[in-house]
Amino acid sequence: MNIVEKAKEEVVSIARIIYREGLVFETWGNISARPTENEVVITPSGIPYEKLTFVDIVTVNLAGQAVKGKWKPSTELPLHLAIYEQRKDVRAIVHTHSSCALAFAASRQDVPVVLEEQAQIVGGPVKVADYALPGSTELAENALKILGNEENAVLLANHGLVGIGKDLTTALQICRIIERSARIILWSKLLGSPYILSPEDVTALRNNFLFAYGQNNPAANS
Ligand SMILES: [Zn+2]
């Protein structure tokens, strides 16, 4: 199995996870990966998640032309390609329509950092991009204004969440953590108001994760 085929298998497995966990609704949401410099594999448009298999994933080049696949690619292809174009560090994109993140997107409020894992993995609050119609180049432009060169996630106003990363596992983890943060914030509001972590604590948590956390981190045992 070559690198592109392997990426397609990973896209299918992440698609099954986001569907099973309720991070997407019906056929909305989409996933892509960039296994080579000029190839992106992406979920097809409008195919139910439970039926999705390896052969349904579409391969396109960076210009957006379908290279291989029997279906049309996701209608959010322009968003995915624009992100890969701007962010050379990004190799995977997961776009969900999860309920609690959407509550923030619908009220056009950023998701502040109240959980340590958001500080560690996402690295800060998640901001909302200006509204634009789905599938439009304007949507991609608005999302990129927020993502810039460093952000790992963006909320699309009245629409959904985009998590990006060096691989699909990371992009999925970002979407899961933001959905969980959004849910905890909503619950906390029932009890009063959640405490938002200070920028200093967020930076300390992020640095600790990047430079000291985990078994394989060279700094972990120093
Ligand atoms: Zn969407």
Side-chain angles (χ1 to χ4, degrees), residues 38-40 42 58-69 71 73 77 81:
N38 196 35
E39 286 168 295
V40 169
I42 187 163
V58 185
T59 309
V60 298
N61 61 23
L62 270 247
Q65 296 149 330
V67 175
K68 204 172 178 187
W71 305 113
L77 180 64
L81 292 178

Side-chain angles (χ1 to χ4, degrees), residues 100-119:
C100 298
L102 257 171
F104 281 81
S107 52
R108 302 191 184 180
Q109 292 181 39
D110 300 349
V111 180
V113 185
V114 302
L115 296 186
E116 291 180 331
E117 56 259 42
Q118 184 174 333

Side-chain angles (χ1 to χ4, degrees), residues 28-30 76 79 95-97 134 139 156 159-161:
W28 281 275
N30 32 73
E76 291 298 0
L79 171 68
H95 167 45
T96 62
H97 285 202
L139 180 80
L156 307 176
H159 178 161
L161 170 67

Side-chain angles (χ1 to χ4, degrees), residues 183-204:
R183 187 165 62 246
I184 301 289
I185 291 166
L186 295 173
W187 283 344
S188 298
K189 285 176 184 277
L190 295 173
L191 299 170
S193 58
Y195 283 92
I196 295 168
L197 289 168
S198 69
E200 294 76 24
D201 285 339
V202 171
T203 301

